[in-house]
Amino acid sequence: MSKGYRLSAATGIHKGDREYQQDQVAVFTHPRHNGCLLAVVADGMGGRSGGRKASDQVMLTAKQLFERYAPETEDASAMLAQVVQEAHIVIKLTAISAEQEPHSTIAAFLINPGGDCHWIHAGDSRVYHFHANRIVKRTLDHSYVQTLVNRGELSEEEAAVHPQSNILMGCLGAENDPPMNAHFIPQLKPGDTLLACSDGVWHYFSNDELGSVLSSLSAREASEFLIEKARVRAKGSGDNLSLIIVKLEPLNEER
């Protein structure tokens, strides 16, 4: 039975104005199940090699667990939680030999062959769900400014320019277990778009801007446009940038 859409995906990554690239991004397709994919963004922190070691570990853990995942019998949300927990433990172990404490965020979404979608995140890397050009839902950061927004002390706009917007309340590799927020989409539909990205990208765009770009451009064009525009808006002080876009394009659409 046709699902009425085909998946198109693109990734983008850029060093920004930083000396080192500590972000990592990957889309994994399942080795045995067509139409099953896992998208992962990890923003590493901690010295020259510490942050990269941490984000590398997130990717390695995600790849290994996803390849063993059986979509017809296993719970995707449990598998995603296992990715976060295992990567967190291994990052803490690598901290013993790293020059600075390695930490990482994670923002990941998994699409099953049946069209249901699960996501998970820890830190301030985000997952967004858009339909056409409208935002349906996004993750809420585990950050100091998000707690102020939640309490009604800051608006979203004020939070974006707050001088302490980069302070995290939780991530992978920290002293405490990482916070984890999961979300479930029972059925993706033609016209849906999923975006996962690090704060080096989302920091420079409103939800409306993201929706407009994602609906009007292909996945590849949108990823290039968002990185170029974020680079301009950063005015020479931009963080590493990474993103993944997966579009559910209607079949038989005239282009």
Side-chain angles (χ1 to χ4, degrees), residues 3-254:
K3 292 195 284 281
Y5 62 78
R6 65 184 183 87
L7 298 175
S8 68
T11 63
I13 192 162
H14 193 289
K15 196 167 65 171
D17 299 298
R18 298 288 192 259
E19 196 175 347
Y20 308 107
Q21 176 60 268
Q22 297 182 308
D23 281 11
Q24 279 271 54
V25 60
V27 175
F28 303 108
T29 54
H30 201 283
R32 297 179 306 282
H33 296 276
N34 196 25
C36 185
L37 67 81
L38 173 65
V40 186
V41 166
D43 178 355
M45 298 156 273
R48 184 173 66 216
S49 64
R52 185 53 187 256
K53 282 178 182 171
S55 59
D56 280 347
Q57 197 55 56
V58 172
M59 293 298 158
L60 191 60
T61 306
K63 182 174 188 290
Q64 289 172 342
L65 290 175
F66 183 59
E67 286 178 351
R68 297 206 299 266
Y69 168 68
E72 69 281 6
T73 57
E74 293 181 35
D75 178 13
S77 58
M79 192 276 287
L80 290 173
Q82 190 181 358
V83 170
V84 175
Q85 289 158 346
E86 289 195 13
H88 168 66
I89 290 165
V90 179
I91 291 166
K92 285 183 79 169
L93 292 174
T94 63
I96 297 161
S97 60
E99 73 237 43
Q100 288 189 32
E101 281 190 34
H103 297 122
S104 182
T105 69
I106 185 171
F109 60 86
L110 184 150
I111 299 174
N112 274 318
D116 57 307
C117 176
H118 302 254
W119 79 44
I120 200 162
H121 90 290
D124 64 354
S125 294
R126 292 181 178 177
V127 183
Y128 293 80
H129 175 201
F130 288 89
H131 183 76
N133 63 345
R134 304 283 306 206
I135 188 164
V136 180
K137 189 175 177 70
R138 76 160 172 87
T139 55
L140 296 178
D141 310 326
H142 302 118
S143 65
Y144 172 64
V145 294
Q146 185 65 53
T147 62
L148 298 181
V149 172
N150 295 347
R151 295 205 299 252
E153 295 174 27
L154 276 185
S155 69
E156 291 275 351
E157 293 72 29
E158 289 168 334
V161 295
H162 194 282
Q164 293 169 308
S165 63
N166 63 337
I167 296 177
L168 296 184
M169 304 301 282
C171 60
L172 282 64
E175 189 68 30
N176 298 322
D177 286 343
M180 280 187 264
N181 285 96
H183 178 60
F184 171 57
I185 304 167
Q187 186 64 55
L188 292 168
K189 301 177 182 68
D192 280 351
T193 300
L194 291 159
L195 165 70
C197 61
S198 66
D199 65 327
V201 176
W202 63 252
H203 190 80
Y204 298 103
F205 300 98
S206 68
N207 293 339
D208 287 345
E209 284 180 309
L210 289 173
S212 175
V213 170
L214 294 170
S215 65
S216 58
L217 298 176
S218 70
R220 169 57 50 208
E221 292 165 340
S223 70
E224 292 171 358
F225 178 89
L226 290 173
I227 284 181
E228 286 171 17
K229 183 64 77 175
R231 294 286 303 118
V232 171
R233 291 181 175 180
K235 298 187 173 74
S237 61
D239 196 358
N240 296 160
L241 307 92
S242 57
L243 60 89
I244 299 168
I245 298 167
V246 174
K247 298 190 76 165
L248 284 75
E249 296 176 340
L251 296 173
N252 308 318
E253 185 181 51
E254 294 294 323

